[in-house]
Amino acid sequence: FFVVPLLPFDLPPPRSNLSSQPLLLSPPMVRGNAKVKSQAKRLKRLEAERKSQKRDPKAQEKARMAGFRFVCPECKQSLANLKVALEHFYARHPKSSLPTDWQRRKEEAEAEKKAIEDEKRRKKKAAEDAKKKLFAIKACLRSFYEEHAPDKAGNIEKIMKKYAGKWEKLEAALEKSYGDKAPKIVQAAETAVN
C-alpha cells in the first residue's frame, strides 16, 4: 500500500465565489448535436439512394422482386425466391407441371445468367486482345528502334504511354521521321489479334 502525495498541478483550480459555472473536470457531452447531424446525414443518404433507384431500372426490378413472394399453387406454401420455390416444387410435387409464371421467371433468370456469362467472356477476350496488340506493337517498335535508332530503344515504354490508343498518330509520326523505313505498327497489332 503506497501513499502518493498530491502535487499542486493534480488538483483542480480553486473555485471563485463569483463564478456561477459548476466545476467541470471532463469536457461537456456533445452527443445531442452529433445525433442530429448523424440522422440528417442518414436521411440525405437514403434520399440519394431512393433517387438513384428511380433512374436505375435494375434497382427498380430488384426492389420489386424483393417484395415478390412465390406461393406454391399445390400446397399454398409461401417461398422466398425462385430457387427455393423450384427446389420445393420439384421435391414436393414431382408429378405436377411447373406453374407458367414460375416457368417464365426461370427462363428469364437463365437468360440473364447466360447474358452475364457472355458479357464476361467478351470482356475477357477484349482484354486478351488488347494485351496481344500491345505486345505486338512493343515488339515492332523494339525491333525498329534497335535497327534504326539504338539510342531511342530505351524510350519505348515512354513512347507507348504517350501514344496509348493513338497508334495511327504514332505510325504517322514515324513515317514523317523515317519515311519508308517506318514500321507498320497498326498492321502488326491487327495481325497479332487475328
Side-chain angles (χ1 to χ4, degrees), residues 125-144:
K125 184 171 178 358
E128 288 173 358
D129 289 349
K131 281 183 181 179
K132 286 178 185 177
K133 279 184 179 181
L134 286 176
F135 185 76
I137 290 170
K138 193 173 188 177
C140 186
L141 284 174
R142 186 174 310 281
S143 65
F144 172 75

Side-chain angles (χ1 to χ4, degrees), residues 6-15 23-25:
L6 290 175
L7 298 174
F9 52 82
D10 290 331
L11 297 174
R15 275 182 81 177
L23 179 64
L24 295 176
L25 297 177

Side-chain angles (χ1 to χ4, degrees), residues 144-159:
F144 172 75
Y145 278 129
E146 284 175 354
E147 185 180 335
H148 296 286
D151 56 322
K152 293 185 181 179
N155 296 340
I156 292 175
E157 293 293 330
K158 195 175 186 181
I159 293 168

Side-chain angles (χ1 to χ4, degrees), residues 4 9 22 24 53 59 68-70 88 92 96 98 125 148:
V4 178
F9 52 82
L24 295 176
Q53 283 183 352
F68 184 80
R69 307 241 348 138
F70 291 87
H88 162 82
R92 300 289 171 108
S96 302
L98 197 62
K125 184 171 178 358
H148 296 286

Side-chain angles (χ1 to χ4, degrees), residues 46-193:
L46 290 174
E47 183 67 22
E49 286 176 6
R50 189 180 62 77
K51 284 182 181 178
S52 70
Q53 283 183 352
K54 281 184 181 178
R55 291 187 293 264
D56 186 12
K58 283 190 177 181
Q60 286 179 344
E61 178 67 18
K62 282 183 183 177
R64 190 175 63 76
M65 286 301 291
F68 184 80
R69 307 241 348 138
F70 291 87
V71 178
C72 178
E74 301 288 326
C75 61
K76 306 297 183 212
Q77 184 175 352
S78 180
L79 304 158
N81 58 38
L82 180 63
K83 184 177 179 182
V84 173
L86 292 174
E87 287 174 0
H88 162 82
F89 198 81
Y90 291 138
R92 300 289 171 108
H93 317 291
K95 293 182 180 176
S96 302
S97 62
L98 197 62
T100 55
D101 60 331
W102 288 18
Q103 182 67 34
R104 181 180 50 80
R105 288 195 182 269
K106 179 183 174 187
E107 290 168 359
E108 287 174 358
E110 288 171 352
E112 186 176 337
K113 185 178 178 182
K114 186 178 183 296
I116 289 170
E117 288 173 358
D118 290 344
E119 181 67 16
K120 282 182 182 177
R121 259 188 253 117
R122 187 192 62 75
K123 285 183 178 179
K124 186 176 179 182
K125 184 171 178 358
E128 288 173 358
D129 289 349
K131 281 183 181 179
K132 286 178 185 177
K133 279 184 179 181
L134 286 176
F135 185 76
I137 290 170
K138 193 173 188 177
C140 186
L141 284 174
R142 186 174 310 281
S143 65
F144 172 75
Y145 278 129
E146 284 175 354
E147 185 180 335
H148 296 286
D151 56 322
K152 293 185 181 179
N155 296 340
I156 292 175
E157 293 293 330
K158 195 175 186 181
I159 293 168
M160 292 203 47
K161 279 184 183 178
K162 181 179 178 183
Y163 288 98
K166 302 177 260 181
W167 307 119
E168 292 86 5
K169 191 174 179 181
L170 174 60
E171 192 173 302
L174 288 172
E175 284 178 5
K176 185 178 178 183
S177 298
Y178 295 98
D180 293 338
K181 296 177 187 176
K184 305 291 183 201
I185 55 176
V186 176
Q187 184 181 1
E190 293 302 320
T191 55
V193 172

